[in-house]
């Protein structure tokens, strides 16, 4: 079961993408919801709004979960996973060793769609993505692999059980990133107790 944090943002689009891959999903709004999940998607949205909506107990559980289970974050989800946010003391889950800048591409009117070049599922890929008030990855730690770039900047990264992108693949229904994440989850589950779907 892959959970999708369902407090704010386009979480239903992630559910749609996962269901197109025949993956059982669960909307996560509470600590009990999270306990039922093998992996989790942190959707885009507004990072400060997410923090206000996440209860202290759920935040603590998300922090523990993100340091031990597979998690995918898009846009705001990437910010929440980051170890550090530039010029901002907002708390994060700290599961991904990157320095990130919020809203690096400008306000919402500067949003754009682009094809991102990278490697997913072990093969070269062109990924369709939406950049909406998108963050920018400024630095990556030694444990972080860059899977895709746009304009010479990292936009899709992986580190252990964490996968994160600065853009929204789900808004254009491109399944490439979600498929890669499902493969990550299956590798993790096979190492534990078997394939989950």
């Amino acid at each position: 079961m892959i959970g999708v944090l369902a407090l704010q943002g386009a979480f239903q689009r992630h559910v749609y993408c996962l269901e197109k891959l025949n993956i059982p999903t669960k909307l996560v709004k509470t600590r009990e919801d999270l306990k039922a999940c093998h992996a989790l998607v942190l959707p885009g949205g507004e990072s400060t709004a997410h923090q206000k909506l996440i209860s202290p107990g759920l935040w603590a559980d998300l922090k523990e979960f993100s340091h031990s289970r597979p998690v995918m974050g898009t846009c705001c989800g990437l910010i929440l996973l980051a170890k550090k946010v530039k010029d901002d003391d907002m708390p994060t889950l700290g599961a991904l060793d990157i320095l990130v800048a919020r809203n690096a591409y400008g306000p919402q009117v500067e949003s754009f769609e682009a094809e991102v070049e990278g490697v997913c599922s072990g093969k070269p890929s062109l990924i369709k993505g939406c950049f909406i008030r998108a963050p920018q990855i400024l630095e990556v730690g030694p444990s972080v692999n860059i899977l895709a770039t746009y304009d010479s900047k990292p936009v899709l990264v992986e580190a252990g059980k964490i996968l994160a992108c600065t853009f929204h693949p789900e808004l254009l229904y491109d399944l490439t990133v979600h498929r890669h994440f499902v493969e990550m989850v299956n590798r993790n589950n096979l190492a534990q107790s078997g394939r989950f779907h």
Side-chain angles (χ1 to χ4, degrees):
M1 181 82 67
I2 294 183
V4 180
L5 188 66
L7 299 176
Q8 197 251 348
F11 53 85
Q12 287 288 1
R13 298 290 187 100
H14 285 286
V15 170
Y16 174 87
C17 290
L18 291 167
E19 289 180 346
K20 289 291 285 184
L21 295 172
N22 299 312
I23 302 302
T25 62
K26 183 174 184 65
L27 296 180
V28 173
K29 298 182 180 182
T30 67
R31 303 176 77 178
E32 289 303 312
D33 293 336
L34 186 61
K35 287 178 183 177
C37 301
H38 297 89
L40 181 69
V41 174
L42 298 176
E46 217 294 314
S47 51
T48 52
H50 264 103
Q51 288 182 319
K52 290 176 183 177
L53 293 168
I54 298 171
S55 69
L58 179 56
W59 180 264
D61 287 354
L62 287 171
K63 194 161 191 174
E64 181 180 351
F65 193 102
S66 67
H67 285 263
S68 59
R69 304 276 188 93
V71 178
M72 171 179 155
T74 59
C75 198
C76 162
L78 173 140
I79 296 170
L80 292 177
L81 286 167
K83 194 170 184 179
K84 189 173 181 183
V85 181
K86 183 183 179 184
D87 300 327
D88 198 319
D89 59 358
M90 67 175 285
T92 66
L93 300 172
L96 181 61
D97 189 9
I98 59 172
L99 170 66
V100 63
R102 297 175 65 203
N103 303 328
Y105 292 93
Q108 189 138 343
V109 293
E110 301 295 329
S111 301
F112 60 95
E113 296 178 7
E115 283 194 328
V116 173
E117 294 185 12
V119 176
C120 278
S121 303
K123 59 185 179 183
S125 303
L126 272 180
I127 308 161
K128 296 177 183 177
C130 255
F131 291 76
I132 302 174
R133 296 178 63 200
Q136 193 172 92
I137 298 170
L138 303 178
E139 297 175 8
V140 299
S143 64
V144 178
N145 295 318
I146 298 170
L147 299 182
T149 60
Y150 177 77
D151 196 24
S152 302
K153 301 285 194 310
V155 293
L156 176 64
V157 295
E158 179 182 68
K161 299 173 184 176
I162 303 294
L163 181 69
C165 55
T166 63
F167 56 94
H168 295 266
E170 77 284 359
L171 294 183
L172 297 178
Y173 301 116
D174 187 318
L175 302 180
T176 309
V177 176
H178 291 80
R179 186 177 290 109
H180 182 90
F181 182 59
V182 168
E183 290 172 3
M184 285 176 59
V185 176
N186 275 328
R187 285 197 302 270
N188 178 71
N189 279 0
L190 284 171
Q192 303 295 323
S193 59
R195 190 175 293 266
F196 79 102
H197 71 93

